[in-house]
Amino acid sequence: MAAMERENELGDYLRARRAAVAPADAGLPDDGPRRVPGLRRDEVALLAGVSTDYYIRLEQGRERHPSEQVLRAIAGALRLDDAADAHLFRLGRSVFGTAVAATTVAPELLRLMDAMREVPAFVVGAAQDVLAANAMAKELYDGFARYDNLLRMIFLDPYAREFYADWDRAARIAVGNLRASSSQFPKDERIERVVGELSVHSPAFTGLWARYEVRPRTHEDKHARHPRVGEIRLHFEALAVTSAPGQHLSVYSAEPGGAGADALVLLRRLTERETASADRAAPAEEEELRA
């Protein structure tokens, strides 16, 4: 699927982003119901200052070498933000990075993550695989059948709709973030496998993926429901690991003295209880094996 998409990825991207812009947002008069959502091709061409024929050739893949000036004008017409604008230029100028996404977590990063005992912290890779997680993070996501890939968890685990207070928002943000990763690592086989699996098994993912929103997730406020803690409202930060391309250290925190901080205290107590229980069980299991 990903290989087919790259045959005319610039055209696919232009069509998807054109459909996402309302005429009124582009300063155009509302002329009533339209057969297709968003802007028409001739309207994008008008706003960008290029001929309609030229713009149609771009979308159809018959023109593959637009100038920087044309791309900048189209980005303005489509009201692209910085991340979406950068992706348009990568597609239009055929300039892609050669960096390979890292999949191994450095020991130093593991020590840093494990030292964060009062907040959930975990390391994710470019394909949104959970590469490592501290005890608090494992407790936070304990209700999921598998804590392995954030996209799979959201789209393929029924528990996700109980866990996320606003599942639609969580799903949209996750797909936009994966799009950003695929833009940075366009030939990453793991990303392609994740996209392929979700495209086969989740119509919801397929619909969001087709919207072509490129939005890296750097921070956001999270609202979740934990089966034992209850409502949890936390702030999320994704810190890029510069020594490991594609990896991010994801950390949750809460405003001191607020309900989120109280929820973290409860979560930490659960984590400590589970850890102590596991430590007590380990010698007994070893004794049984020796017997």
Side-chain angles (χ1 to χ4, degrees), residues 124-145:
V124 296
Q128 298 304 286
D129 292 313
V130 179
L131 303 178
N134 69 2
M136 285 276 283
K138 291 175 183 177
E139 180 59 45
L140 176 62
Y141 289 97
D142 182 58
F144 286 90

Side-chain angles (χ1 to χ4, degrees), residues 229-234 253-267:
V229 175
E231 298 281 327
I232 300 182
R233 295 179 183 271
L234 301 173
S253 64
E255 186 75 22
D262 293 339
L264 280 181
V265 171
L266 291 175
L267 191 68

Side-chain angles (χ1 to χ4, degrees), residues 156-178:
L156 301 184
D157 192 325
Y159 173 70
R161 292 184 181 269
E162 300 176 33
F163 179 76
Y164 292 103
D166 188 344
W167 183 89
D168 290 333
R169 179 174 181 271
R172 187 174 65 253
I173 290 173
V175 173
N177 191 45
L178 186 64

Side-chain angles (χ1 to χ4, degrees), residues 1-12 60-61 64:
M1 178 177 178
M4 291 174 61
E5 189 178 66
R6 282 199 295 268
E7 290 180 2
N8 184 23
E9 198 170 2
L10 175 60
D12 294 340
Q60 292 178 342
R64 296 180 179 269

Side-chain angles (χ1 to χ4, degrees), residues 81-191:
D81 59 21
D82 290 344
D85 178 75
H87 186 66
L88 175 65
F89 270 76
R90 279 193 286 270
L91 293 176
R93 305 298 287 173
S94 299
V95 178
F96 295 97
T98 58
V100 177
T103 57
T104 302
V105 182
E108 297 81 7
L109 183 57
L110 288 175
R111 286 198 298 270
L112 174 62
M113 179 194 70
D114 287 335
M116 298 178 177
R117 294 187 177 89
E118 298 189 353
V119 295
F122 54 99
V123 180
V124 296
Q128 298 304 286
D129 292 313
V130 179
L131 303 178
N134 69 2
M136 285 276 283
K138 291 175 183 177
E139 180 59 45
L140 176 62
Y141 289 97
D142 182 58
F144 286 90
R146 294 162 57 184
Y147 183 30
D148 57 352
N149 179 281
L150 298 179
L151 272 297
R152 288 191 74 266
M153 292 161 63
I154 290 174
F155 288 98
L156 301 184
D157 192 325
Y159 173 70
R161 292 184 181 269
E162 300 176 33
F163 179 76
Y164 292 103
D166 188 344
W167 183 89
D168 290 333
R169 179 174 181 271
R172 187 174 65 253
I173 290 173
V175 173
N177 191 45
L178 186 64
R179 270 292 186 189
S181 289
S182 70
S183 174
Q184 185 180 2
F185 304 100
K187 297 181 180 180
D188 188 271
E189 293 183 0
R190 176 57 186 159
I191 293 177

